[in-house]
Amino acid sequence: VTTEIPVWKPENCIQCGRCSFVCPHAVIRPAVMNSQEQKNAPDGMAALPMAGMPEYSFAITISQVDCTGCGSCVGICPGKQGHKALEMLPIHEHREKQEYFDYGKSVPSKPEAVSKFNAGTVKGSQLLRPLMEFSGACAGCGETPYVKLLTQLFGPKMYIANATGCSSIWANSSPSTAYTVDENECGPAWSNSLFEDAAEFGFGMLMAQQVHSQDTVQWVIGGDGWGYDIGFSGLDHILASGKNINILVLDTEVYSNTGGQASKATPMGSTAKFITGGKTTRKKDLAAMAMTYGNVYVAQIAMGADLAQTVKAITEAAEYSGPALIIAYATCIAHGIRAGLGSTQHEEKKAVDAGYFHLFRFNPALKEQNKNPFILDSKEPCIDYEEFLAGEIRYDVLKRLRPEEAKKLFDTAARLSRERYSHLKKLETLFAPEVEGTC
């Protein structure tokens, strides 16, 4: 499906795992091999002594037959001294390297390596086998890396109630499924009901699990069309239940699966189907609404802006013994990113750097420890708000067609963004822990 694929250059690799972390289709993965497995590797398969565990060998393997050529892995790679550890090269020159991926996939995972580097870190999480792979998503999709990470962290313990939408189409369009099993033939349990009732459907799954077992992790997954709009009443119902259920909203700010129509997650000034003249109202603040309950874990994440914060928020949500909501900013083909979907991770970072999207975590469990439950992970905006907007056609088209209206909407949106960040800063002190002796 592509003319170019990433090729690993081990001499420039720092073994960080970022390339695997952001890959939308799980086609690039680290392989950790013991001495015998290294000896049995196909001829020519390069490997390095594993950093911190030199008794093992480390290799990055790529599936040429499944790669879509988006280049997200190359874009995120830090490399060494300015030289990337991955390079996009013509696929016809490297077809023989498919056997390296196939062999790496057959090598058993190494729990001791995961324990050494901690599954709750970027590197450690990528030593776990992804149980969602080779999906039908667009090249450079911003949604799939989040769900793939969930399957690495929670694996066969996952029960997934998936709202109908883009995330159900790329994941499970009959007769194929992107969800798979581990070496023990165990994998996530996935099901899908109507578009509007994924939250209630997932809640029913949770009730059934609690009758049979206490060792399950229940996730409800859907897009912003479901979470902000059609399924909001059900989502609100399970947030108010107080039950231990986790919700992941893949926020593309449009109805991704049905042509990019506006949703309540669509921000001011954006164009989309049914609002070609630019949206004149602000984006619904789903996170703020959820935080008013006081006992709901709430986080906003953007993988490209902060990989570590992404892992931390997801693991905290799963560990929290109550309802948890994670809103994940996800780039989409409907955004019209000028740099292309291969720049997914960079675009997410720009969104946060411009103050367009904010990263934070609200963990009610910290209140019991007399700690501030609100943690603002975003820094002060460091790039111009309109500079970010100019990189996406959904905004730029309005500026070209209706420049006066665009300026008015963009200026207002930028001001509201600054006010939103100021409000979040105040929450750091509003939720400050009580000090004995004060009144």
Side-chain angles (χ1 to χ4, degrees):
V1 296
T2 182
T3 58
E4 290 189 331
I5 56 169
V7 174
W8 186 46
K9 295 189 170 184
E11 66 274 14
N12 298 330
C13 183
I14 63 171
Q15 304 180 29
C16 64
R18 293 186 179 189
C19 55
S20 170
F21 196 97
V22 305
C23 179
H25 291 82
V27 300
I28 182 164
R29 306 182 192 179
V32 179
M33 300 170 283
N34 61 31
S35 57
Q36 187 58 50
E37 290 164 343
Q38 174 62 29
K39 289 179 183 178
N40 296 337
D43 291 342
M45 182 175 176
L48 297 169
M50 188 166 183
M53 300 182 74
E55 66 273 25
Y56 291 93
S57 296
F58 177 93
I60 291 293
T61 63
I62 298 106
S63 175
Q64 283 87 345
V65 298
D66 298 298
C67 179
T68 61
C70 71
S72 289
C73 55
V74 177
I76 202 71
C77 175
K80 284 183 182 176
Q81 299 177 344
H83 299 286
K84 297 273 189 180
L86 292 163
E87 182 180 4
M88 298 299 290
L89 294 173
I91 188 171
H92 68 269
E93 297 176 5
H94 298 278
R95 289 190 185 277
E96 77 286 354
K97 295 189 181 341
Q98 179 65 33
E99 63 178 327
Y100 302 160
F101 178 85
D102 295 338
Y103 179 73
K105 189 176 179 182
S106 72
V107 171
S109 57
K110 303 295 187 294
E112 60 273 30
V114 176
S115 177
K116 167 81 173 177
F117 295 103
N118 187 351
T121 63
V122 174
K123 180 172 181 173
S125 68
Q126 295 314 294
L127 301 179
L128 294 162
R129 184 187 296 264
L131 300 183
M132 197 279 285
E133 59 185 11
F134 318 144
S135 71
C138 300
C141 176
E143 293 188 352
T144 50
Y146 293 111
V147 182
K148 182 190 66 174
L149 177 60
L150 291 185
T151 69
Q152 289 172 296
L153 294 174
F154 310 115
K157 291 185 177 181
M158 282 188 74
Y159 281 73
I160 303 172
N162 207 140
T164 302
C166 216
S167 58
S168 69
I169 301 305
W170 53 246
N172 225 327
S173 292
S174 181
S176 66
T177 175
Y179 291 97
T180 185
V181 296
D182 61 16
E183 54 260 45
N184 299 314
E185 297 297 311
C186 296
W190 185 98
S191 194
N192 159 246
S193 185
L194 299 174
F195 179 27
E196 67 274 14
D197 70 356
E200 303 94 316
F201 183 58
F203 190 59
M205 291 171 68
L206 176 66
M207 296 297 98
Q209 294 161 34
Q210 291 180 337
V211 172
H212 299 288
S213 171
Q214 295 300 315
D215 192 28
T216 55
V217 180
Q218 177 67 51
W219 283 90
V220 177
I221 299 173
D224 52 88
W226 161 73
Y228 284 72
D229 279 357
I230 292 177
F232 172 71
S233 61
L235 184 149
D236 181 60
H237 176 70
I238 63 174
L239 290 180
S241 72
K243 300 295 185 180
N244 189 16
I245 190 166
N246 306 294
I247 304 162
L248 175 66
V249 176
L250 300 164
D251 190 355
T252 62
E253 301 184 328
V254 289
Y255 282 77
S256 295
N257 187 52
T258 51
Q261 296 94 333
S263 79
K264 290 188 181 71
T266 304
M268 179 178 288
S270 174
T271 59
K273 287 189 177 180
F274 308 137
I275 50 163
T276 54
K279 188 159 182 265
T280 57
T281 56
R282 64 191 302 175
K283 179 176 181 175
K284 180 177 182 176
D285 198 338
L286 182 61
M289 296 170 76
M291 282 193 289
T292 60
Y293 278 111
N295 66 334
V296 176
Y297 180 96
V298 184
Q300 287 196 171
I301 62 176
M303 183 177 287
D306 194 332
L307 277 67
Q309 189 257 2
T310 295
V311 180
K312 191 171 185 63
I314 289 172
T315 53
E316 285 180 350
E319 291 168 358
Y320 179 66
S321 59
L325 170 67
I326 292 183
I327 299 169
Y329 183 72
T331 49
C332 177
I333 194 170
H335 294 177
I337 300 170
R338 291 192 175 279
L341 273 178
S343 297
T344 284
Q345 303 302 318
H346 290 144
E347 196 69 10
E348 291 177 2
K349 184 177 188 304
K350 284 174 64 178
V352 174
D353 286 347
Y356 176 89
F357 188 84
H358 302 109
L359 308 183
F360 57 82
R361 290 167 288 136
F362 177 76
N363 188 352
L366 294 178
K367 289 190 287 189
E368 299 174 5
Q369 306 169 29
N370 200 31
K371 295 180 180 178
N372 190 342
F374 184 83
I375 302 101
L376 178 58
D377 296 307
S378 288
K379 307 298 183 186
E380 291 277 354
C382 59
I383 65 173
D384 182 69
Y385 191 89
E386 285 199 39
E387 180 184 333
F388 167 74
L389 301 186
E392 299 190 358
I393 293 174
R394 58 175 171 159
Y395 290 105
D396 189 57
V397 69
L398 183 65
K399 186 176 182 179
R400 288 186 283 110
L401 296 178
R402 303 175 63 184
E404 292 184 4
E405 181 67 12
K407 178 172 175 51
K408 177 183 175 182
L409 290 175
F410 293 174
D411 286 349
T412 303
R415 175 179 58 78
L416 292 174
S417 174
R418 291 191 297 270
E419 290 177 0
R420 172 68 172 151
Y421 186 79
S422 177
H423 171 70
L424 294 174
K425 289 288 287 183
K426 290 177 181 177
L427 292 185
E428 290 185 303
T429 56
L430 178 64
F431 290 116
E434 297 178 4
V435 179
E436 288 188 19
T438 61
C439 55

